[in-house]
Amino acid sequence: MDYYKILGVNKDASVEEIKKAYRKLARKYHPDLNPNDKEAEQKFKEINEANEVLTNADSRKKYDEHGADWKHADEINRARAQQRQQYSQGGGQQFDPSDFGGGDYSDFFESMFGGSGGFRSGGRNVQFKGQDYNYELQLELKEVYQTHKRVLEVNGKKLQLTIPAGVENGQTIKLKGQGGAGANGGPAGDVYIRFNITNSGHFKRDKNDLYTTVELDLYTALLGGEVVADTFDGKVKLKVPAGTQADTKVKLKGKGFPVYKKEGEFGDLYVTYKIRIPVQLSEKEKELFTELSKIRS
């Protein structure tokens, strides 16, 4: 791919010009604005790749120097240095890459050392690992409470991914060998899946523990009783002691979130009581509360 052409900028474009062109194209081809449009989806991937390469000074320098072979720039430079050394030790003429008109280095190495891919150094084929791919998978908190399977489309391939219960927000897992094909018999690249876990429920998660609040009416808090609380796997009845204060915290052991890759292990659930004060009292209620306050004082 010609990254400059993809973004519609000149080769001497500044980083700001590149970012501006990227933002404009990203809005145009964003998947949310082009549902079920495979061509727009592919275009969106290309402009993202072009932006990542051209806004990074190191990768842009490699791309400007090596073009399509920029990912293998370090290997190519090492081979060039080794070839210079071999020419020098053998008394031959030391080559200058500029003699080849800035052409494709892979073609140059093929012509020098033979073979149908990569290049040869010391009688060995140099293998290149395929490209790695990075994806972000958005899930709801409730979706990672249990282990389940998802089918993902990665680089045109459909992969079945097992998502373990208890995976955390920002966690990344690797699918080995599922990336781009290797060159010259080299290994395939890997796929990295980063989890973006959102939480629209009323539970707050902290690693393996969960936190929630339960309302108590004034009379239950004063006299004691029972209250029903939600957990991730159902409801439980809690005994409320008489005289329970606001913000009292109760721990329900083993009712929290699953521990990642530890079957049957769970964190704890912490319930905080919030006391609901009655409003719009009747005259009789006001009278009784007034009487009660006199007794207490």
Side-chain angles (χ1 to χ4, degrees):
M1 292 187 290
D2 185 333
Y3 293 142
Y4 292 103
K5 187 175 180 181
I6 287 170
L7 294 177
V9 296
N10 296 325
K11 289 192 175 184
D12 59 353
S14 67
V15 172
E16 282 306 313
E17 288 172 330
I18 291 169
K19 288 181 177 179
K20 183 178 179 181
Y22 163 73
R23 286 193 292 267
K24 181 179 179 181
L25 291 170
R27 285 194 294 268
K28 180 178 179 181
Y29 293 105
H30 197 283
D32 290 347
L33 301 178
N34 300 274
N36 303 318
D37 187 337
K38 294 294 183 184
E39 188 175 337
E41 181 182 348
Q42 180 60 32
K43 188 72 175 176
F44 187 71
K45 290 178 182 177
E46 290 177 0
I47 61 176
N48 270 287
E49 182 177 333
N51 179 65
E52 286 182 13
V53 172
L54 297 184
T55 54
N56 180 287
D58 183 55
S59 58
R60 183 177 182 179
K61 180 181 178 182
K62 291 177 180 178
Y63 177 73
D64 287 343
E65 184 177 354
H66 300 286
D69 293 320
W70 74 271
K71 295 184 184 71
H72 308 305
D74 293 337
E75 293 96 328
I76 290 172
N77 289 335
R78 282 196 296 269
R80 284 162 53 183
Q82 184 178 10
Q83 184 60 15
R84 287 192 186 98
Q85 184 179 15
Q86 290 175 351
Y87 266 62
S88 176
Q89 291 173 348
Q93 180 183 357
Q94 187 170 343
F95 85 87
D96 183 348
S98 62
D99 292 342
F100 297 90
D104 191 324
Y105 285 113
S106 59
D107 292 341
F108 160 66
F109 284 117
E110 182 178 341
S111 67
M112 287 294 294
F113 302 109
S116 58
F119 56 86
R120 298 181 65 83
S121 175
R124 295 183 295 109
N125 285 325
V126 178
Q127 301 175 331
F128 297 128
K129 181 184 176 183
Q131 184 177 355
D132 292 337
Y133 295 104
N134 294 279
Y135 289 84
E136 187 172 279
L137 181 59
Q138 185 160 320
L139 297 170
E140 260 286 334
L141 184 64
K142 61 185 178 182
E143 294 181 284
V144 292
Y145 184 75
Q146 294 180 325
T147 297
H148 68 285
K149 296 184 183 296
R150 280 286 181 96
V151 175
L152 303 178
E153 187 168 330
V154 177
N155 193 32
K157 298 187 296 183
K158 288 190 175 180
L159 302 178
Q160 183 166 282
L161 172 66
T162 298
I163 301 175
V167 69
E168 293 196 35
N169 182 48
Q171 186 172 342
T172 300
I173 63 173
K174 180 173 77 172
L175 305 181
K176 188 173 177 60
Q178 298 296 334
N184 199 31
D190 304 316
V191 171
Y192 294 88
I193 308 289
R194 185 180 185 275
F195 293 99
N196 180 12
I197 300 174
T198 57
N199 183 12
S200 59
H202 60 275
F203 292 99
K204 180 183 176 183
R205 181 187 182 189
D206 182 11
K207 297 181 180 177
N208 301 318
D209 294 329
L210 294 173
Y211 296 81
T212 189
T213 59
V214 170
E215 278 194 348
L216 296 181
D217 62 66
L218 178 63
Y219 311 105
T220 303
L222 286 172
L223 304 174
E226 289 185 340
V227 68
V228 175
D230 289 323
T231 72
F232 242 91
D233 59 355
K235 297 178 181 293
V236 295
K237 275 187 179 181
L238 302 178
K239 289 189 178 295
V240 181
T244 294
Q245 301 295 306
D247 296 326
T248 295
K249 192 173 289 185
V250 177
K251 181 172 82 170
L252 304 184
K253 190 169 179 60
K255 288 295 184 179
F257 219 69
V259 179
Y260 180 68
K261 287 195 173 180
K262 291 189 177 179
E263 188 72 26
E265 289 190 31
F266 292 80
D268 302 321
L269 171 62
Y270 292 87
V271 177
T272 300
Y273 290 134
K274 298 295 182 183
I275 297 176
R276 187 172 65 251
I277 303 297
V279 295
Q280 297 179 334
L281 299 177
S282 67
E283 289 303 318
K284 182 63 176 177
E285 287 174 319
K286 290 178 182 178
E287 182 183 324
L288 291 172
F289 274 115
T290 301
E291 186 66 24
L292 182 62
S293 70
K294 290 178 180 178
I295 295 172
R296 293 291 295 177
S297 63

